[in-house]
């Protein structure tokens, strides 16, 4: 975020740049410097049918069950040149994150914030534009309200990977996942998944079936007619 030194704000936190851990319908597009960009974070093109102009700055979103969807939300923000962070996600697959489009050079991780996870998250809000958070315990409503005020003040978006969180802008759920990549005899690797993603909030819920990720990486709308005949059989999976 403008005017904030990431190195200074996070000097005492156990964070690591993610790249160091790896081995190897948009009618109003966000343009840099636009009025729309001042209020929304960028998202991947594949998510615009669900999220419109993007993720609202200073708001909180709840993602139920799907780490891949959390990473997909971070991907558009990091590709737009902003910093993102993940808190309390020690088993995060960073190669999978890169496959979904996350810029690992702009992605910090705090795998184990301990009992001070709320303070860590609030501190990060001073320095990054989007935070992915898996809370280790249920937070008191008063603590959530204080964190929400900090997020609004700093225009930082919070994506909570949990079953519940108060004061959210919208809830995103993933259902009916189908993986592909293995042959009929079970050989090969699962390398792609399509699933139904539903966004519910203040208005009518909206659903789209998306590749999450696509066989060639990234996120896009799933269209059975064009995808039929691709390699591998589809296997049922739970998120």
């Amino acid at each position: 975020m403008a005017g904030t030194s990431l190195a200074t704000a996070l000097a005492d936190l156990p964070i690591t740049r993610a790249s160091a851990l790896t081995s190897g319908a948009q009618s109003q597009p966000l343009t840099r410097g636009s009025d729309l960009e001042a209020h929304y974070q960028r998202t991947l093109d594949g998510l615009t049918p669900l999220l419109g102009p993007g993720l609202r700055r200073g708001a909180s979103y709840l993602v139920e069950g799907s780490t891949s969807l959390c990473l997909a939300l971070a991907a558009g923000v990091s590709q737009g040149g902003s910093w993102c962070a993940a808190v309390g996600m020690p088993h995060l697959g960073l190669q999978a994150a890169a496959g979904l489009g996350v810029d690992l050079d702009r992605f910090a991780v705090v795998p184990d914030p301990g009992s001070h996870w709320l303070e860590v998250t609030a501190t990060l809000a001073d320095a990054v534009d989007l935070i992915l958070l898996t809370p280790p315990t249920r937070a008191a409503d008063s603590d959530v309200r204080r964190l929400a005020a900090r997020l609004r003040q700093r225009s930082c978006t919070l994506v909570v990977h949990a079953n519940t969180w108060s004061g959210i802008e919208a809830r995103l759920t993933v259902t009916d996942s189908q993986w592909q990549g293995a042959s009929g005899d079970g050989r090969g690797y699962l390398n792609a998944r399509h699933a139904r993603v539903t966004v519910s909030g203040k208005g009518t819920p909206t659903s789209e079936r998306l590749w999450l990720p696509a066989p060639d990486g990234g996120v896009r709308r799933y269209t059975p007619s064009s995808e039929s005949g691709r390699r591998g059989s589809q296997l049922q999976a739970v998120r």
Side-chain angles (χ1 to χ4, degrees):
M1 299 175 70
T4 303
S5 169
L6 182 67
T8 300
L10 306 180
D12 296 327
L13 296 178
I15 69 166
T16 307
R17 182 174 295 195
S19 57
L21 301 179
T22 59
S23 59
Q26 196 173 1
S27 57
Q28 301 183 72
L30 287 177
T31 56
R32 192 171 298 278
S34 68
D35 290 340
L36 203 59
E37 189 187 39
H39 299 286
Y40 291 91
Q41 309 273 18
R42 293 166 179 257
T43 56
L44 298 175
D45 290 346
L47 294 172
T48 54
L50 291 170
L51 296 172
L55 297 169
R56 191 163 65 83
R57 294 181 182 272
S60 298
Y61 294 79
L62 180 66
V63 173
E64 291 185 284
S66 176
T67 304
S68 294
L69 182 55
C70 291
L71 292 171
L73 294 173
V77 177
S78 68
Q79 288 179 13
S82 297
W83 272 83
C84 302
V87 178
M89 306 175 83
H91 304 297
L92 194 65
L94 295 174
Q95 290 183 329
L100 284 162
V102 175
D103 181 353
L104 298 185
D105 284 328
R106 293 184 177 272
F107 190 61
V109 292
V110 186
D112 184 10
S115 61
H116 300 291
W117 59 274
L118 276 167
E119 292 91 336
V120 170
T121 304
T123 300
L124 281 164
D126 291 342
V128 304
D129 286 277
L130 181 138
I131 300 170
L132 306 179
L133 169 67
T134 299
T137 59
R138 184 181 177 91
D141 287 344
S142 58
D143 290 332
V144 173
R145 286 194 295 270
R146 282 193 290 270
L147 178 58
R150 183 70 163 266
L151 294 167
R152 287 193 298 270
Q153 182 184 27
R154 301 303 186 185
S155 297
C156 177
T157 302
L158 178 68
V159 175
V160 181
H161 182 224
N163 294 322
T164 183
W165 189 263
S166 61
I168 58 173
E169 178 79 6
R171 179 189 302 266
L172 291 82
T173 58
V174 174
T175 56
D176 190 22
S177 293
Q178 294 186 3
W179 286 89
Q180 76 167 36
S183 62
D185 59 3
R187 297 181 180 180
Y189 298 94
L190 298 175
N191 61 1
R193 175 182 70 162
H194 55 87
R196 180 159 298 281
V197 180
T198 301
V199 178
S200 56
K202 300 173 184 178
T204 303
T206 304
S207 294
E208 286 283 345
R209 191 160 195 87
L210 302 175
W211 281 111
L212 194 68
D216 54 356
V219 177
R220 64 172 183 266
R221 180 179 290 174
Y222 173 78
T223 52
S225 58
S226 62
E227 301 296 342
S228 61
R230 290 203 176 199
R231 66 183 182 279
S233 62
Q234 296 178 341
L235 302 179
Q236 297 293 332
V238 179
R239 294 181 183 174

